Short mmCIF file of all heavy atoms in Angstrom, two decimals:
data_model
loop_
_atom_site.label_atom_id
_atom_site.label_comp_id
_atom_site.label_asym_id
_atom_site.label_seq_id
_atom_site.Cartn_x
_atom_site.Cartn_y
_atom_site.Cartn_z
N SER A 129 119.32 142.89 73.95
CA SER A 129 120.61 142.42 73.40
C SER A 129 120.50 140.98 72.94
O SER A 129 120.96 140.63 71.85
CB SER A 129 121.73 142.57 74.44
OG SER A 129 121.99 143.94 74.66
N LEU A 132 118.26 140.91 69.73
CA LEU A 132 118.96 141.42 68.55
C LEU A 132 120.01 140.42 68.06
O LEU A 132 120.14 140.18 66.85
CB LEU A 132 119.61 142.77 68.86
CG LEU A 132 118.62 143.93 69.01
CD1 LEU A 132 119.26 145.09 69.76
CD2 LEU A 132 118.12 144.37 67.64
N THR A 133 120.74 139.81 68.98
CA THR A 133 121.73 138.80 68.60
C THR A 133 121.06 137.61 67.91
O THR A 133 121.52 137.12 66.88
CB THR A 133 122.53 138.34 69.83
OG1 THR A 133 123.20 139.48 70.38
CG2 THR A 133 123.53 137.27 69.47
N SER A 136 119.94 138.29 64.33
CA SER A 136 121.07 138.26 63.40
C SER A 136 121.61 136.85 63.21
O SER A 136 121.76 136.38 62.08
CB SER A 136 122.18 139.18 63.91
OG SER A 136 123.25 139.19 63.01
N LEU A 157 122.20 150.33 74.00
CA LEU A 157 122.39 149.25 73.05
C LEU A 157 123.75 149.40 72.38
O LEU A 157 124.23 150.52 72.16
CB LEU A 157 121.28 149.26 72.00
CG LEU A 157 119.86 149.07 72.54
CD1 LEU A 157 118.84 149.24 71.43
CD2 LEU A 157 119.71 147.71 73.21
N GLN A 158 124.37 148.29 72.03
CA GLN A 158 125.64 148.30 71.31
C GLN A 158 125.42 148.84 69.89
O GLN A 158 124.31 148.86 69.39
CB GLN A 158 126.19 146.87 71.21
CG GLN A 158 126.50 146.23 72.52
CD GLN A 158 126.83 144.76 72.38
OE1 GLN A 158 126.83 144.07 73.35
NE2 GLN A 158 127.10 144.25 71.19
N GLY A 159 126.51 149.18 69.25
CA GLY A 159 126.44 149.66 67.87
C GLY A 159 126.20 148.54 66.88
O GLY A 159 125.65 148.77 65.81
N THR A 160 126.62 147.32 67.23
CA THR A 160 126.40 146.17 66.35
C THR A 160 126.03 144.94 67.17
O THR A 160 126.46 144.79 68.32
CB THR A 160 127.64 145.81 65.49
OG1 THR A 160 128.72 145.52 66.36
CG2 THR A 160 128.02 146.94 64.54
N TYR A 161 125.25 144.09 66.56
CA TYR A 161 124.91 142.76 67.07
C TYR A 161 125.11 141.82 65.90
O TYR A 161 124.26 141.74 65.02
CB TYR A 161 123.47 142.70 67.58
CG TYR A 161 123.27 143.52 68.83
CD1 TYR A 161 122.92 144.87 68.75
CD2 TYR A 161 123.48 142.96 70.08
CE1 TYR A 161 122.76 145.62 69.89
CE2 TYR A 161 123.32 143.72 71.24
CZ TYR A 161 122.96 145.05 71.14
OH TYR A 161 122.81 145.81 72.27
N GLU A 162 126.27 141.19 65.86
CA GLU A 162 126.68 140.35 64.74
C GLU A 162 126.58 141.15 63.45
O GLU A 162 127.30 142.10 63.27
CB GLU A 162 125.90 139.04 64.73
CG GLU A 162 126.18 138.22 65.97
CD GLU A 162 125.74 136.80 65.88
OE1 GLU A 162 125.30 136.35 64.81
OE2 GLU A 162 125.84 136.11 66.91
N LYS A 163 125.61 140.81 62.56
CA LYS A 163 125.50 141.52 61.28
C LYS A 163 124.51 142.67 61.31
O LYS A 163 124.28 143.32 60.30
CB LYS A 163 125.13 140.53 60.17
CG LYS A 163 126.24 139.52 59.89
CD LYS A 163 125.86 138.57 58.78
CE LYS A 163 125.03 137.46 59.38
NZ LYS A 163 124.55 136.48 58.42
N LEU A 164 123.90 142.93 62.47
CA LEU A 164 123.01 144.09 62.61
C LEU A 164 123.83 145.29 63.06
O LEU A 164 124.53 145.23 64.08
CB LEU A 164 121.92 143.82 63.64
CG LEU A 164 120.75 142.96 63.20
CD1 LEU A 164 119.86 142.62 64.39
CD2 LEU A 164 119.94 143.66 62.12
N GLU A 165 123.72 146.38 62.31
CA GLU A 165 124.51 147.57 62.60
C GLU A 165 123.58 148.76 62.85
O GLU A 165 122.66 149.01 62.08
CB GLU A 165 125.40 147.86 61.39
CG GLU A 165 126.36 149.00 61.58
CD GLU A 165 127.27 149.10 60.37
OE1 GLU A 165 128.27 148.34 60.33
OE2 GLU A 165 126.98 149.91 59.47
N GLN A 166 123.83 149.48 63.95
CA GLN A 166 123.01 150.64 64.28
C GLN A 166 123.20 151.74 63.25
O GLN A 166 124.32 152.11 62.94
CB GLN A 166 123.38 151.15 65.68
CG GLN A 166 122.43 152.22 66.18
CD GLN A 166 122.79 152.69 67.57
OE1 GLN A 166 122.87 153.89 67.78
NE2 GLN A 166 123.03 151.78 68.49
N ILE A 167 122.07 152.25 62.71
CA ILE A 167 122.17 153.32 61.70
C ILE A 167 121.48 154.61 62.15
O ILE A 167 121.76 155.67 61.59
CB ILE A 167 121.61 152.86 60.33
CG1 ILE A 167 120.14 152.46 60.41
CG2 ILE A 167 122.48 151.76 59.75
CD1 ILE A 167 119.47 152.25 59.06
N PHE A 180 118.45 149.46 63.52
CA PHE A 180 119.56 148.64 63.06
C PHE A 180 119.27 148.16 61.64
O PHE A 180 118.12 147.94 61.29
CB PHE A 180 119.74 147.41 63.97
CG PHE A 180 120.18 147.75 65.35
CD1 PHE A 180 119.26 148.07 66.33
CD2 PHE A 180 121.53 147.73 65.68
CE1 PHE A 180 119.66 148.37 67.62
CE2 PHE A 180 121.95 148.04 66.97
CZ PHE A 180 121.01 148.36 67.95
N GLN A 181 120.34 147.97 60.85
CA GLN A 181 120.20 147.44 59.50
C GLN A 181 121.08 146.22 59.37
O GLN A 181 122.21 146.19 59.85
CB GLN A 181 120.58 148.47 58.46
CG GLN A 181 120.31 148.01 57.04
CD GLN A 181 120.44 149.16 56.05
OE1 GLN A 181 121.33 150.00 56.15
NE2 GLN A 181 119.54 149.19 55.09
N LYS A 183 123.55 143.95 57.62
CA LYS A 183 124.59 144.10 56.59
C LYS A 183 124.39 143.04 55.52
O LYS A 183 124.00 141.92 55.80
CB LYS A 183 125.98 143.94 57.21
CG LYS A 183 126.33 144.96 58.24
CD LYS A 183 127.70 144.64 58.81
CE LYS A 183 127.90 145.29 60.15
NZ LYS A 183 129.12 144.81 60.81
#
Side-chain angles (χ1 to χ4, degrees):
S129 292
L132 288 161
T133 300
S136 182
L157 299 174
Q158 298 171 195
T160 59
Y161 291 89
E162 297 195 7
K163 293 181 276 179
L164 282 172
E165 185 174 278
Q166 189 179 130
I167 60 169
F180 293 86
Q181 186 168 40
K183 297 178 201 170

